[in-house]
Amino acid sequence: MGISPCVPSRIGRKVPIPHDAELYRLRHRIENMIARLKDCRRIATRYDRCPILVLPACAVAATVIYLCKSCL
């Protein structure tokens, strides 16, 4: 499929495997945002099964997360 891993190898590994640090940083940001979205109960429990309703709910939750983060 042409997909390459971007997770760094463990610190104690004798021969470290090279990885793309910038790609890993972006991947980590996305995973953190998904974890924050799952804090929203409506998103985590999937009350809305239809994608037409889920995507706006995710957008509203992401906006609230962004606004609350910028207030701190």
Side-chain angles (χ1 to χ4, degrees):
M1 297 178 103
I3 300 171
S4 61
C6 65
V7 179
S9 57
R10 295 188 180 263
I11 295 173
R13 189 178 174 104
K14 290 182 181 179
V15 180
I17 299 172
H19 72 285
D20 186 4
E22 183 64 27
L23 184 63
Y24 181 69
R25 190 173 296 120
L26 293 174
R27 176 180 175 259
H28 185 67
R29 271 190 187 171
I30 292 170
E31 286 184 4
N32 286 347
M33 187 61 191
I34 290 171
R36 287 187 189 127
L37 279 175
K38 287 184 179 180
D39 287 342
C40 180
R41 184 175 177 205
R42 183 181 188 111
I43 308 289
T45 56
R46 299 183 186 171
Y47 286 137
D48 302 321
R49 300 281 181 195
C50 182
I52 295 172
L53 299 174
V54 173
L55 291 176
C58 286
V60 169
T63 304
V64 169
I65 290 169
Y66 176 77
L67 291 176
C68 289
K69 184 180 176 183
S70 65
C71 292
L72 297 175

